[in-house]
């Protein structure tokens, strides 16, 4: 492993904890990010000479902390903060959860911030995603996202929002945003950054323990575990492998069993929420012996329930696939064509990709080829693009 590889690996695994620790120490978000970045720059300069330390995270934390303390000592405001920190170091915590990253999420998800800002700020500070990456994930422009992040930090500083997990009576009002953040972190990792899936699952476990009477954290954790159980089979040689072609013998049975236990416990509360319903859909897939034995009618019912809880054209698209599998390809195509005509999913690559797959199954190769071309032009990742290109090639040459 080269030094650059070691620094990259440390960035993926340590950024969130490092920034969270520095924010907890200094209460200054910009200072924390600056000093974290300086620590990684120092690693690039120092490790080639001295070697990669045995504990890169500890080295980075010490380096960043020293830089933060030096910068605070250089101005009067910083010296006042240092005196406050000395007092805080002797003050016991007011809650049982000591995970700095969870404190960071709850601070980012304070109700004083707009929902989109809560999600964006957490993805930036906890996961180290760049502004452009966050903008793509949240379907907005990079300039808009940059302004949103600046405003969010100013709001936290100006309102004196405390850096802590809130007391029990205030937790529910922040739960929806926290769950959304965790799921976005998981999905970011699921598309390539595997360290983020582990981070999301770790925080999901902590959150489920923190809120034992809330079913949705368990539902989300179950959903993530069902997804993680299939992770080893989702791609091969850089190409996505569709669910029907994945080797189910390689799925992680222990994660599936844990997910089923969590989902059963969540559903027992009889307060169904969107994450529980999504987990129930995923359970239908991961517990079936093969695609042919999947309970597609139950999945249709679950998507109808999910649509009532969180109306969305994406949910409608997924329901259309389930309808095609349970009631016939023509029934599913009719729903997909209606979504295409509505324009609500314009630019979303999975709409033409789904239509192409259904057209292929219906034997309408020429139309399927055109739909694959459209999906390929919109695909956001190389793995998805290669998969769609392979599917298009499977249709054979164009008839003349």
């Amino acid at each position: 492993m080269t030094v650059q590889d070691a620094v990259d690996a440390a960035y993926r695994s340590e950024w969130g904890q490092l920034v969270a620790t520095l924010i907890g120490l200094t209460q200054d978000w910009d200072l924390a990010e600056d000093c974290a970045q300086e620590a990684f720059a120092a690693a690039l300069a120092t490790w080639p000479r001295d070697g990669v330390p045995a504990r890169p995270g500890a080295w980075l934390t010490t380096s960043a902390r020293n830089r933060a303390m030096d910068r605070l000592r250089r101005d009067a405001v910083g010296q006042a903060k240092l005196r406050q920190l000395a007092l805080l170091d002797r003050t016991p915590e007011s809650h049982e959860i000591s995970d700095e990253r969870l404190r960071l999420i709850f601070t980012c998800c304070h109700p004083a911030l707009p929902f989109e800002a809560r999600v964006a700020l957490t993805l930036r500070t906890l996961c180290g995603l760049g502004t452009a990456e966050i903008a793509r994930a949240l379907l907005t422009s990079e300039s808009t996202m940059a302004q949103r992040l600046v405003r969010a930090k100013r709001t936290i500083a100006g309102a004196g929002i405390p850096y802590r997990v809130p007391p029990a009576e205030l937790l529910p009002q922040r739960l929806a945003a926290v769950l959304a953040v965790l799921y976005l972190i998981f999905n970011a990792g699921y598309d390539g950054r595997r360290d983020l899936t582990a981070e999301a699952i770790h925080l999901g476990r902590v959150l489920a323990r923190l809120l034992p009477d809330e079913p949705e954290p368990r539902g989300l954790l179950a959903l993530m575990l069902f997804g993680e159980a299939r992770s080893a089979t989702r791609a091969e040689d850089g190409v996505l492998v569709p669910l029907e072609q994945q080797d189910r013998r390689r799925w992680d049975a222990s994660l599936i069993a844990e997910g089923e236990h969590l989902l059963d416990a969540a559903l027992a509360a009889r307060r169904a929420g969107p994450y529980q319903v999504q987990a129930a859909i995923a359970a239908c897939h991961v517990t079936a012996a093969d695609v042919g034995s999947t309970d597609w009618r139950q999945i249709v019912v679950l998507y109808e329930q999910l649509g009532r809880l969180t109306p969305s054209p994406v949910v409608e698209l997924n329901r259309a696939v389930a309808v095609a599998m349970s009631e016939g390809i023509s029934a599913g195509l009719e729903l997909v064509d209606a979504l295409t005509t509505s324009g609500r999913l314009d630019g979303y690559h999975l709409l033409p990709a789904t239509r192409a797959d259904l057209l292929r199954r219906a034997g309408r190769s020429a139309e399927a080829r055109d739909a694959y071309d459209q999906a390929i032009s919109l695909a956001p990742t190389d793995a998805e693009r290669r998969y769609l290109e392979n599917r298009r090639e499977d249709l054979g040459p164009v008839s003349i």
Side-chain angles (χ1 to χ4, degrees):
M1 176 185 291
T2 67
V3 170
Q4 182 65 61
D5 290 338
V7 173
D8 290 344
Y11 184 89
R12 290 191 297 271
S13 62
E14 303 293 342
W15 174 267
Q17 180 63 49
L18 180 57
V19 172
T21 298
L22 291 172
I23 293 174
L25 177 68
T26 67
Q27 308 295 303
D28 188 322
W29 294 60
D30 289 329
L31 176 63
E33 287 193 25
D34 288 348
C35 293
Q37 291 169 350
E38 290 175 11
F40 281 100
L44 281 172
T46 304
W47 293 1
R49 183 190 67 231
D50 299 342
V52 177
R55 297 172 58 204
W59 190 99
L60 290 163
T61 299
T62 299
S63 176
R65 180 189 175 101
N66 289 342
R67 282 168 167 74
M69 294 299 98
D70 287 343
R71 287 175 61 170
L72 287 175
R73 290 188 186 99
R74 285 199 290 265
D75 61 81
V77 174
Q79 291 175 15
K81 285 186 177 181
L82 287 171
R83 288 192 293 273
Q84 293 173 4
L85 292 173
L87 292 174
L88 288 173
D89 285 341
R90 297 192 295 270
T91 304
E93 292 295 331
S94 60
H95 52 77
E96 296 179 356
I97 302 298
S98 60
D99 193 305
E100 290 284 353
R101 292 163 296 182
L102 196 61
R103 297 187 202 181
L104 178 58
I105 286 182
F106 273 102
T107 304
C108 290
C109 294
H110 193 279
L113 299 173
F115 182 83
E116 295 83 359
R118 302 177 202 176
V119 174
L121 189 59
T122 307
L123 290 174
R124 171 64 190 142
T125 54
L126 185 75
C127 304
L129 297 188
T131 305
E133 292 177 281
I134 301 170
R136 284 196 299 273
L138 299 183
L139 305 178
T140 189
S141 70
E142 186 173 351
S143 59
T144 297
M145 184 53 60
Q147 293 170 3
R148 189 175 293 168
L149 289 167
V150 169
R151 284 196 298 268
K153 292 177 183 178
R154 286 175 179 170
T155 298
I156 289 175
I161 293 173
Y163 182 72
R164 64 187 174 98
V165 175
E169 65 271 15
L170 297 180
L171 285 173
Q173 63 180 292
R174 303 209 204 158
L175 185 56
V178 171
L179 294 174
V181 165
L182 290 184
Y183 195 34
L184 280 170
I185 293 172
F186 179 80
N187 285 332
Y190 209 53
D191 290 335
R193 288 190 56 182
R194 303 298 303 151
D195 57 302
L196 295 184
T197 62
E199 176 78 359
I201 289 172
H202 164 72
L203 293 172
R205 295 187 198 280
V206 175
L207 190 61
R209 291 197 301 269
L210 179 66
L211 299 171
D213 297 327
E214 291 288 341
E216 277 289 80
R218 284 189 173 85
L220 174 59
L221 181 54
L223 176 61
M224 293 190 294
L225 292 174
F226 289 145
E228 183 66 9
R230 298 193 296 110
S231 61
T233 64
R234 289 186 69 245
E236 185 174 340
D237 297 327
V239 180
L240 289 183
V241 178
L243 179 64
E244 62 195 59
Q245 296 177 10
Q246 291 176 16
D247 184 353
R248 296 175 183 237
R249 295 170 299 180
R250 294 174 57 202
W251 290 356
D252 191 321
S254 64
L255 292 181
I256 292 173
E258 183 183 357
E260 287 185 280
H261 175 75
L262 287 163
L263 180 58
D264 288 343
L267 294 175
R270 298 190 178 277
R271 287 185 284 137
Y275 292 109
Q276 295 169 71
V277 176
Q278 290 179 76
I281 293 169
C284 289
H285 290 299
V286 299
T287 58
D290 51 47
V291 171
S293 61
T294 301
D295 191 345
W296 289 104
R297 292 188 182 278
Q298 177 63 22
I299 292 176
V300 171
V301 172
L302 288 169
Y303 271 122
E304 289 172 351
Q305 184 179 10
L306 183 60
R308 290 190 292 271
L309 291 169
T310 56
S312 161
V314 174
V315 173
E316 293 178 34
L317 178 62
N318 288 325
R319 177 179 173 275
V321 174
V323 167
M325 299 299 291
S326 64
E327 300 176 21
I329 300 301
S330 60
L333 262 175
E334 184 177 346
L335 296 173
V336 172
D337 287 341
L339 275 172
T340 302
T341 302
S342 73
R344 290 185 294 159
L345 286 175
D346 284 351
Y348 184 56
H349 75 289
L350 290 181
L351 176 59
T354 299
R355 186 169 183 271
D357 185 63
L358 295 181
L359 288 167
R360 176 186 62 82
R361 293 172 188 267
R364 295 160 59 179
S365 297
E367 294 172 86
R369 189 175 289 105
D370 290 340
Y372 276 125
D373 285 341
Q374 183 183 1
I376 290 166
S377 69
L378 296 171
T381 67
D382 290 339
E384 290 172 290
R385 191 175 303 109
R386 284 192 289 266
Y387 163 73
L388 293 167
E389 289 170 346
N390 289 346
R391 277 299 173 106
R392 188 188 186 283
E393 290 176 5
D394 289 343
L395 294 173
V398 179
S399 300
I400 301 176

